Amino acid sequence: MAQTLQTSSSSSEPSDGRVVAIRGGVVDVAFSGAAPRIYARVQTEGITMEVASIVGDGVVRCIALGPVRGIGLGARARVDAAGIEVPVGEAVLGRMLNIFGDPLDGQSPPDAVERRPIHQSPPQLTDRLLRAEVMETGIKAIDLLSPIEKGGKTGLFGGAGVGKTVLLSELIHNTVEHHKGVSLFCGIGERSREAEELWREMGDAGVRDQMVMLFGQMNEAPGVRFLVGHSALTMAEYFRDDREQDVLLLIDNIFRFVQAGSEVSGLLGRMPSRVGYQPTLATELASLQERIASTRKGAITAIQAVYVPADDFTDPAAAHIFSHLSASVVLSRKRASEGLYPAVDPLASTSVMLTPNVVGQRHYDIARAVRRTLAEYEDLRDIIAMLGIEELSAHDRAVVARARRLERFLTQPFFTVDASAGTSGKLVPVADTLHGCEAILSQTSFDHPESAYYMIGPLSDLTGALA
């Protein structure tokens, strides 16, 4: 089991302190004796805080994990050197909790047998285990072009309004029901409406009893949004290391973790770095991401929604998150505007699993052929716009016909939006996806119009399609 991180300024226990400064969500507390440890828990006026830095002369700077409007200068503060802890164990299953493990579902607090600090070290390199195994999602565009690694980290990248949360909800629907281990959802900086909807949907699907939901919502203090991910990882590590179970961890949205860290960093008085981000961006992100790993006891498979500011994939937050992932599903605003949902960009999405040794030679060849056909079509778009498709050669017209049908075949009706869209969701096995793409790639003329391929499941849904 990973060991707790602790940084101590002195071996003697600190005495009670007094609040000497308040800056937004950051509070300075002065102690007459030794300063408390980094990550120590400080209580004042009913507000919980965590020690973030030691200023000197017995003064520590704390991140407030609640509204500071109730705190006054000179308020008395008490220290709990153990730090912030959350309950772990079977009792948290089926519950909606906050950063401290307190209930948000209106029920009594979980009767947990143990509480653990939220700050833990990642597994040792010698304890890690690499698994070349793919997790099937039933979503054609992802399974074909960006297969998810079981025990790896997958990012759903996209700007505002391109469908990240809907795609994550569909992944939850398709994978949680068939997942044999424990599922854990961590909402960072999300809307309360989305939390309530997810809670209700998971109950209706009958999978809530094997799922834990943690939320640090949009209206809460930046310290809560910054630390709730660590609370979720502590619970996930318990099921992986102690219960030796596989864990499916879903995070929405990891960018809000970076954003909260930037808020906290500014309040702590650190000099901002590139594009205004905190200078500790890489370290803070790594401290969270490196805890998501597979060991000999079990695996944590993480699927993370990632907001991309202004659709700029060179943004430091997006670039740093990219470096931790084994699969990247990039959502395109252009495809979303054309109504091609899920708006997965087939040329930008990647996965380390898409190799012949892992997915097989046939899958690899079909995926490459699909990408090549779509890339050729992309190059021909300008010519078509200027001169019309009639000016293309017969070969190029066949490429365009195949590409446009592939684009529409890779769309899919989702279970999570079937009520609002008036459609019935489809879950498509990988074998059917490969068969459909292979059939389209092999043809030069088609009996059905492009629109017939739009929002269907397997190719057998197409009336008169080849078996």
Side-chain angles (χ1 to χ4, degrees), residues 3-18:
Q3 295 189 359
T4 307
L5 293 174
Q6 288 186 339
T7 305
S8 176
S9 59
S10 173
S11 59
S12 58
E13 288 298 318
S15 59
D16 286 352
R18 299 281 178 182

Side-chain angles (χ1 to χ4, degrees), residues 24 87 106 282 351 386:
S351 172
M386 290 186 293

Side-chain angles (χ1 to χ4, degrees), residues 18-22 27-30 59-60 72-75:
R18 299 281 178 182
V19 174
V20 294
I22 303 171
V27 178
D28 287 0
V29 182
V59 178
V60 295
L73 293 179

Side-chain angles (χ1 to χ4, degrees), residues 18 25 64 88 109 156 170 176 270 304 320 331 438 442 448 464:
R18 299 281 178 182
V88 295
L156 309 180
E170 188 72 4
V176 167
R270 296 174 183 149
Q304 312 169 23
H320 278 91
L331 302 181
E438 195 172 41
S442 65
H448 297 87

Side-chain angles (χ1 to χ4, degrees), residues 409-450:
F409 178 65
L410 291 177
T411 63
Q412 190 169 339
F414 279 178
F415 292 96
T416 49
V417 294
D418 55 6
S420 57
T423 58
S424 178
K426 301 281 187 180
L427 191 148
V428 184
V430 176
D432 290 346
T433 301
L434 295 177
H435 169 74
C437 291
E438 195 172 41
I440 293 171
L441 288 166
S442 65
Q443 297 178 65
T444 54
S445 61
F446 297 88
D447 297 328
H448 297 87
E450 298 166 4

Side-chain angles (χ1 to χ4, degrees), residues 242-310:
D242 291 53
R243 307 293 296 184
E244 299 189 4
Q245 292 177 289
D246 287 343
V247 181
L248 178 62
L249 175 64
L250 305 130
I251 303 176
D252 189 8
N253 185 302
I254 198 67
F255 174 78
R256 305 296 179 199
F257 166 78
V258 174
Q259 199 174 42
S262 181
E263 290 182 55
V264 169
S265 178
L267 292 169
L268 289 172
R270 296 174 183 149
M271 187 70 72
S273 184
R274 186 181 162 210
V275 200
Y277 285 109
Q278 62 270 42
T280 52
L281 169 61
T283 304
E284 291 170 359
L285 196 57
S287 69
L288 188 73
Q289 297 282 4
E290 287 302 303
R291 292 174 65 181
I292 303 171
S294 295
T295 67
R296 290 177 173 79
K297 295 181 177 179
I300 299 178
T301 303
I303 302 174
Q304 312 169 23
V306 186
Y307 169 70
V308 180

Side-chain angles (χ1 to χ4, degrees), residues 64-82:
L65 303 180
V68 296
R69 59 180 175 269
I71 306 175
L73 293 179
R76 190 173 177 181
R78 293 179 291 103
V79 175
D80 179 0

